[in-house]
Amino acid sequence: MDFEYSRDQQAFRQDVRDWLAKHLPPELCLDDPADDRVASNRETFERRRVWQKTMHAAGWVGITWPREYGGRGLGLIERVIFEEEYAAARAPVLPGGMALNLVGPTIIHWGTDEQKQRHLPAILNADEIWCQGFSEPGAGSDLANLQTRAVERGDDFVVNGQKVWTSGAHFAHWIILLARTKPEAPRHQGISCLLVDMTTPGITVRPLVLMTGHRHFNEVFFEDVVVPQANLLGPREAGWKVSTTTLMYERHASGARNPIIQVAALIALAKELPLNGGTAWDSPLIRQRLAQLAIDCEALRTTRLRSLTRQLRGEAPGPEGSTLKLSGSELGVRIADAAGEMLGMHALVNQPTSVVPDAPRWFNRVLAARQYTISAGTSEIQRNIIGERVLGLPKG
Ligand SMILES: Cc1cc2nc3c(=O)[nH]c(=O)nc-3n(C[C@H](O)[C@H](O)[C@H](O)COP(=O)(O)OP(=O)(O)OC[C@H]3O[C@@H](n4cnc5c(N)ncnc54)[C@H](O)[C@@H]3O)c2cc1C
């Protein structure tokens, strides 16, 4: 593949950069030290929603979505360029990220015309924030073990069960839910996918707090929750296939943010951080380690470009997305480990100090990096997928 950007693509990059420089409020980049996909509180969340609306009005949301659904119909390369510039500007993750990256594309793929018209515009302009109700206490890696039931009653389903680790459910208006509609069928064949309004009576959201103190995800309980059959996404009992579409997009999105920004920040920090009468940067061991991380980031970037080939052919992201997800999240842990070792006791301080002005970001990075090797499918599961479905190895 050609790694040079065309003149049009370079012009597009300049447009993104100029627009962000002019419109991105600086306080938005600073107001959430956790640097997390889920806003740390309601105020931050609402500020980010306003920001998504501003971006949408200017045509920067859903840039690869088809025009007929309110997107800009641009190519994947433009999306990569956009994400690189967006990350470089330290702009916050959009509150509608889960819907923009996972739910929307799944609705585009599987939804009825009515569902598309109902949800896609609202997803783009942040009127609808979504969460993903797949995992359960007994169904994580082994998702087909899910026990939440949806029982037909007239024109509706009645849902009972529990989901867990549901990111951002406390802010979400809708949930994309997997539930068992045919318990007697083989595990993978008895599941359906439902679009559920989070204000429906019978839904309870309970927080689960990370060790950083951040409320990222939740338990979600369903007690006799009535969902119209019209909210089935895809055919009945095709939930496994529908969820596979969602997970492919999720793995691809999980590997999207290149951590070179973090390595660059770590290098800047090393040049200031006092160590043995000089700075950390004076240490050849530290410099070598940071150089290796920068090399790994570049390898990740080119791997990502390679994985785009399939999508450039107009196909949905394939199991190769697992390579990206695996290498991106494992690299995130290596960067966090390097930061933790370099910062020593400073890594435990969750507020800015004169020595480490950016301390909250590193505190959260060091403590929270591991989560990305679990969410969207653990590293072990990604290795299984790569082994079996990419390399064609026999099942272990
Ligand atoms: C930050 C975060 C956000 C999340 N957000 C969401 C969300 O929004 N919605 C949602 O539905 N879920 C979400 N999850 C849940 C996530 O998808 C699950 O945690 C994940 O799939 C693992 O499932 P589990 O936690 O039940 O672990 P388990 O499946 O119980 O796995 C435990 C350990 O066993 C290993 N293991 C399991 N099976 C195998 C196997 N076949 N081969 C090799 N090793 C194996 C795993 O790798 C892991 O190390 C989130 C998780 C995290 C950490």
Side-chain angles (χ1 to χ4, degrees):
M1 100 167 269
D2 181 4
F3 288 106
E4 293 301 314
Y5 291 103
S6 70
R7 197 182 291 213
D8 283 353
Q9 287 161 352
Q10 284 169 9
F12 177 77
R13 182 184 292 283
Q14 197 57 48
D15 279 354
V16 180
R17 198 174 285 175
D18 292 346
W19 189 85
L20 286 172
K22 194 161 168 206
H23 294 93
L24 176 63
E27 63 276 13
L28 259 191
C29 314
L30 303 171
D31 69 0
D32 186 6
D35 201 16
D36 197 278
R37 285 177 296 157
V38 176
S40 54
N41 53 49
R42 171 77 50 187
E43 293 74 38
T44 309
F45 168 74
E46 292 298 347
R47 265 198 297 276
R48 289 182 180 186
R49 263 182 95 195
V50 172
W51 168 237
Q52 183 170 327
K53 284 178 186 296
T54 307
M55 284 185 53
H56 177 243
W60 295 115
V61 180
I63 56 175
T64 50
W65 283 29
R67 281 178 179 274
E68 57 184 308
Y69 302 128
R72 234 164 111 177
L74 293 176
L76 284 164
I77 298 290
E78 280 75 14
R79 178 173 166 178
V80 171
I81 293 171
F82 177 82
E83 283 166 0
E84 284 177 358
E85 292 301 318
Y86 195 76
R90 302 212 76 152
V93 177
L94 294 180
M98 184 166 292
L100 293 165
N101 294 324
L102 279 59
V103 182
T106 310
I107 292 177
I108 289 174
H109 196 93
W110 290 95
T112 60
D113 286 344
E114 207 180 339
Q115 287 168 343
K116 289 174 184 170
Q117 279 161 22
R118 164 76 182 79
H119 295 296
L120 298 178
I123 285 174
L124 287 169
N125 76 6
D127 279 346
E128 280 184 9
I129 302 299
W130 284 71
C131 62
Q132 179 191 23
F134 285 12
S135 305
E136 297 185 4
S141 306
D142 189 13
L143 188 56
N145 196 38
L146 63 89
Q147 301 299 322
T148 294
R149 294 281 167 95
V151 177
E152 190 173 345
R153 192 178 70 189
D155 290 340
D156 301 316
F157 288 109
V158 179
V159 178
N160 280 283
Q162 184 201 339
K163 297 292 167 177
V164 72
W165 318 125
T166 320
S167 300
H170 48 308
F171 295 135
H173 307 112
W174 284 81
I175 183 167
I176 182 169
L177 184 80
L178 291 181
R180 198 164 287 289
T181 42
K182 195 172 180 189
E184 68 280 14
R187 299 190 323 153
H188 294 80
Q189 290 163 27
I191 297 168
S192 298
C193 184
L194 295 170
L195 307 176
V196 183
D197 183 339
M198 288 292 279
T199 60
T200 316
I203 300 181
T204 308
V205 177
R206 281 198 210 144
L208 290 166
V209 180
L210 298 176
M211 66 178 162
T212 56
H214 181 51
R215 178 177 178 184
H216 177 105
F217 42 34
N218 305 268
E219 295 176 293
V220 184
F221 298 87
F222 296 82
E223 207 178 329
D224 295 330
V225 175
V226 178
V227 181
Q229 289 210 26
N231 289 19
L232 253 182
L233 182 62
R236 193 172 160 160
E237 276 95 48
W240 190 254
K241 282 189 183 157
V242 177
S243 71
T244 304
T245 306
T246 313
L247 292 172
M248 295 289 189
Y249 279 107
E250 181 174 33
R251 276 161 202 161
H252 207 268
S254 304
R257 281 210 152 196
N258 193 308
I260 188 66
I261 307 289
Q262 292 164 37
V263 176
L266 209 49
I267 290 170
L269 178 65
K271 291 180 176 170
E272 300 292 330
L273 193 70
L275 186 74
N276 301 332
T279 67
W281 188 247
D282 297 331
S283 157
L285 287 178
I286 289 180
R287 287 205 305 278
Q288 176 60 40
R289 190 150 181 205
L290 294 175
Q292 187 58 53
L293 290 173
I295 292 165
D296 292 349
C297 287
E298 185 55 19
L300 181 66
R301 194 178 78 83
T302 43
T303 303
R304 176 155 195 244
L305 290 174
R306 207 173 47 219
S307 85
L308 287 180
T309 309
R310 183 185 164 106
Q311 291 184 72
L312 286 171
R313 289 199 302 254
E315 298 165 25
E320 305 88 352
S322 291
T323 316
L324 208 58
K325 199 272 169 181
L326 175 67
S327 40
S329 55
E330 293 291 334
L331 176 55
V333 172
R334 287 202 298 285
I335 294 170
D337 286 349
E341 285 170 39
M342 196 170 91
L343 283 162
M345 63 183 180
H346 298 290
L348 299 176
V349 181
N350 192 15
Q351 46 188 297
T353 65
S354 55
V355 181
V356 190
D358 218 7
R361 200 175 289 279
W362 295 116
F363 169 86
N364 283 287
R365 185 66 54 199
V366 169
L367 290 188
R370 180 67 59 187
Q371 63 178 300
Y372 296 112
T373 66
I374 302 171
S375 60
T378 66
S379 289
E380 290 76 20
I381 294 302
Q382 306 308 328
R383 288 191 181 95
N384 285 351
I385 294 171
I386 294 165
E388 290 164 16
R389 294 177 52 198
V390 180
L391 302 176
L393 300 175
K395 261 183 180 294

